[in-house]
Every structure is written in structure tokens, then in C-alpha cells.
Amino acid sequence: MNRFAPLALLFFAVPLAHAQGVAFDLDGQIRHRSELDGRDVADGDVASPSNPLLFHLLRSRLGVAVRPVEDVRVYVQVQDGRFFGEERPALGRGTLDGSADGLDLHQAYLAVDDLFDSGLGLALGRQELAYGNERLVGAVGWSNTGRSFDSAVLRLRDDRVAADLFAAQLASPAVYEGAQHFAGLYTTWTLADDHALDAFALLDTDHRELVAGPDDGEPRLTRVTPGLRAHGAPGAFDYDVELIGQFGRIAPADDAERQGIGAYLASAAAGYAIAPGVRLGAGYTRLSGDGDPDDDTFRTFNTLFATNHKFYGFMDYFPPLAGPYGLQDAFVSLGASATERLRLALDLHHFAAAVEPAGGRGVFGQEVDLTASYRYNGALGFQAGASAFFPGSFTEAAVGDATTYWLYLQTTATF
């Protein structure tokens, strides 16, 4: 029954805050998405083109923000993320299962403004972290659960710079073998009107000790990810350029010698408003790969805690399908407002390996994504999408040559 404790907390907190005359705000969301999934490239398997899987996702969120005093804010958000029909069939064929396995605290933190009159803000607890364009750290809003961190964040805001210094506990040694942490400094500098520069450095660690080999007793991972991002939107033109590196030490297996990390991400994208409500965009992203996994350098770039869905095609094949070979993604996009409420978008991707695989067949394939978004009113919106993937030489040789597809219809109500 302890899974219901977060929900009970909200039901008691809201009337208590109201009775004491404390300022509070409620927010919530109900989101339903139906997907017809034929993305399995090995045709004949479940979710393959000839045997697609139809399923339904439901995400429910309820949050309350309370300000007991002007410079202190407490926020609690309960979330339930589930599949339709996942309840136990033995209990009234699923209709009497009240276990609420998907119910949890998505966020629960306290925030203090102007801490000790320093101009700094502090947030402590479970919270979403999303920085820049979410290339490395994002909330993954597309996911049925989303991402949150158990973390502390120290914030600075003024007219020219926004800076966050954060530290998150990924795994506690009190619960798991060894500790895992994620920390960093992310800054955004306003250079001029409509131009900004992001500068950041991130550190993720895995302190679980290797159990054998030449590095017996050493931690499995220490990785530093520094980077720069220049972005802006002067007039009808917009641009986004990124250069990110990765360095440190990593063990490919529990009993293997650690390798030095030497990886990078380079990306450039631009768009132009060719007419009111119509944008044409193009870009190229390269994630480094490892052509020789047996040497002493690990060169495959890791996207850490990114919202990858928004970058590498909506079918979510990449970066995982690229494996150790890295990724090249050349893309073009066209978005147009058909009406004041309806917007259409077309995205085309060409995917290839960053390092040539054995046999010289390095083309993963092409993906086409068509999306329609309709804003019914201020609280309700609909989104529909249709995607197809056409395998290239690498995918055909590795897993199959079937053209795959994926369709979805999503309804979101918020308050």
C-alpha cells in the first residue's frame, strides 16, 4: 500500500495549505497514446512489418506547488505510467487489480530563492533536469514515464548569464553495489540579441569496483563531457552548432583493463522561415565511433541522459542501432502551419556509420517522419505521426531488409 502514499500526500496537503491561507497551485496532465508498432527489422517477429503490435499508453500526472513564504517553494508531482491491459488477468480479468504498480513520485523538491541574500537559488530533491536543447541532459517528455534525478541544484540568474551547478545520485551504495553519480556545471551566456553561447562540463561516474584483471579494484567509469553550443534566431534565420568531447576511463567488462575515453559529438543545424508559418531546416550530426575496440582508447560517444527522440528520428532506432560504429545523421525538415491550430511537419534522415564497419557497408538506412499537431483549445491537443524506415546495406546484412513502419495517435489534456 505504500505506493499510494504520494497520492495521499497530495490529497492532505492541498486542503491543509488552503486552510492555512498558504499560496498553492495545482497542475496536471492526462496523456493517452496509441501506437501501431512495426519497427522490428527482423520481419516475422512481434512488432515487425508483417506482425505489428498495437498497444496503448496512459500517463497521468498531478502536481501541487506550495509557497509557505515568498522565497520558498515546495513542489510534489505524482505520476502513473502504464500500458492498457497490463493488470493481472487473474483478478477479474484485470479489472479488479488495484496494485497501482506504475504509481510513483516523479518530482518532490524544495526550492529556495535568494539563498542567504546571495542571489543564488537552491533546489533539493527529486526533480527534472533539462539543459540546452536536451542533447545530453533532458526530461524525455515523449517517454511514458519521463526522467527525473535525485539531485541538488545551485542556480544563478542575471541579465547575461544563467548557470546551474548540480549533483545527482544515480545509485546509492546503501541499496546497490557501489555508487553512481552525475554532476556538472551548465551555463548559458547571452552574447547579443538573439545570440547565445552554452558552455558546460559534465561528470558521470560508476564506483563499482572491477573484480579481476589488471585494474582489479578500480572504478568502472569516470567520464568527463565538456562542450560548447552556439545558437540563435536572428530574424527569419536560426542556427544551432555544437561541439562536445568525452574523456576519462571506462572498463568494457567486469574483468577487463580500463580504456582511455576519446570521443566527440559535432553537430550543425540551420533553418529559415521561407514564408509566414513555414520553416525549412537542414543539418548534420556526427557521433564518433570506435573502429578498433581492442586498442586502449574507447571512441564511441555516449549521449548520457539525453532526450534522443527529438534528434535522431522518431522511430528511436538511433543511437542504439549504431552500436560501436558511431553515427552520421544528415537531415532535412519542413514545417508548416496549415491553419492557426494545425501544424504539419516532415523530417527526412539519412543514417550512416561514423567509422566503416568490416566489409565496407556503412549505411544504416533512411527514415521519413510525418507529424501533425492540432491544438483543439488551451487545454486539449492532438498529435498524430507516421514513420517509415528503409534499411541500408549495413542493416540489411546485420538484421534484415524489411521496410519498417510506426504510427501513433496521441491525446493530451493539461491544466
Side-chain angles (χ1 to χ4, degrees), residues 53-75:
L53 179 64
L54 176 63
F55 59 92
H56 309 275
L57 298 166
L58 182 68
R59 188 176 77 185
S60 309
R61 289 177 171 176
L62 179 63
V64 56
V66 180
R67 280 196 178 273
V69 293
E70 184 178 354
D71 58 350
V72 175
R73 178 174 179 265
V74 176
Y75 183 69

Side-chain angles (χ1 to χ4, degrees), residues 297-317:
T297 303
F298 183 85
R299 297 182 175 87
T300 302
F301 187 84
N302 188 294
T303 59
L304 300 180
F305 303 96
T307 303
N308 283 326
H309 179 79
K310 63 190 291 187
F311 293 108
Y312 310 106
F314 296 157
M315 294 179 76
D316 293 321
Y317 284 132

Side-chain angles (χ1 to χ4, degrees), residues 22-389:
V22 176
F24 71 93
D25 292 299
L26 281 173
D27 65 80
Q29 179 191 83
I30 298 289
R31 190 183 75 180
H32 172 268
R33 184 166 71 234
S34 297
E35 299 189 23
L36 183 63
D37 189 351
R39 286 178 287 186
D40 196 325
V41 181
D43 197 13
D45 293 346
V46 175
S48 68
S50 61
N51 189 26
L53 179 64
L54 176 63
F55 59 92
H56 309 275
L57 298 166
L58 182 68
R59 188 176 77 185
S60 309
R61 289 177 171 176
L62 179 63
V64 56
V66 180
R67 280 196 178 273
V69 293
E70 184 178 354
D71 58 350
V72 175
R73 178 174 179 265
V74 176
Y75 183 69
V76 178
Q77 185 182 51
V78 174
Q79 172 180 274
D80 180 88
R82 64 181 56 242
F83 290 87
F84 276 16
E86 70 175 341
E87 289 77 10
R88 288 174 287 180
L91 298 177
R93 300 181 69 180
T95 62
L96 297 176
D97 185 355
S99 60
D101 290 336
L103 187 64
D104 196 8
L105 273 177
H106 182 61
Q107 298 190 84
Y109 64 88
L110 64 91
V112 183
D113 301 327
D114 197 19
L115 186 66
F116 298 117
D117 298 321
S118 64
L120 298 174
L122 176 67
L124 292 171
R126 173 166 292 188
Q127 55 196 300
E128 292 183 346
L129 299 179
Y131 292 117
N133 55 7
E134 302 188 41
R135 177 76 76 174
L136 296 175
V137 186
V140 198
W142 172 259
S143 164
N144 204 45
T145 55
R147 175 183 288 130
S148 55
F149 294 84
D150 298 328
S151 60
V153 183
L154 191 64
R155 294 192 169 98
L156 171 66
R157 298 289 185 272
D158 65 24
D159 294 339
R160 285 294 179 181
V161 62
D164 277 19
L165 179 65
F166 68 89
Q169 181 94 49
L170 303 178
S172 170
V175 182
Y176 301 100
E177 176 193 353
Q180 298 183 49
H181 298 97
F182 181 50
L185 174 65
Y186 199 101
T187 67
T188 299
W189 302 79
T190 301
L191 304 179
D193 291 344
D194 302 317
H195 298 277
L197 177 69
D198 295 3
F200 55 87
L202 309 174
L203 170 68
D204 66 305
T205 61
D206 184 343
H207 296 287
R208 291 176 296 170
E209 295 181 354
L210 299 174
V211 296
D215 287 330
D216 184 17
E218 295 292 333
R220 300 187 186 193
L221 172 68
T222 302
R223 179 168 47 207
V224 179
T225 304
L228 295 172
R229 173 184 175 233
H231 54 100
F237 176 73
D238 63 84
Y239 67 93
D240 198 328
V241 180
E242 298 170 272
L243 183 59
I244 306 169
Q246 282 185 335
F247 311 96
R249 304 288 290 179
I250 188 172
D254 291 350
D255 57 354
E257 182 178 0
R258 294 187 303 169
Q259 297 175 306
I261 300 173
Y264 69 89
L265 179 151
S267 180
Y272 188 77
I274 58 179
V278 181
R279 178 188 179 275
L280 178 64
Y284 171 81
T285 299
R286 185 183 185 95
L287 281 65
S288 65
D290 199 337
D292 186 1
D294 296 324
D295 66 8
D296 59 359
T297 303
F298 183 85
R299 297 182 175 87
T300 302
F301 187 84
N302 188 294
T303 59
L304 300 180
F305 303 96
T307 303
N308 283 326
H309 179 79
K310 63 190 291 187
F311 293 108
Y312 310 106
F314 296 157
M315 294 179 76
D316 293 321
Y317 284 132
F318 301 98
L321 190 62
Y325 302 108
L327 180 66
Q328 296 184 76
D329 175 18
F331 55 91
V332 295
S333 62
L334 178 64
S337 296
T339 69
E340 184 178 339
R341 297 186 177 187
L342 176 63
R343 185 162 182 83
L344 305 175
L346 176 65
D347 295 271
L348 308 174
H349 294 262
H350 175 79
F351 299 110
V355 295
E356 198 70 17
R361 293 171 294 189
V363 176
F364 295 131
Q366 296 79 39
E367 180 173 326
V368 180
D369 301 315
L370 178 63
T371 308
S373 301
Y374 183 75
R375 181 175 52 83
Y376 183 77
N377 55 34
L380 182 64
F382 301 94
Q383 188 176 80
S387 300
F389 179 74

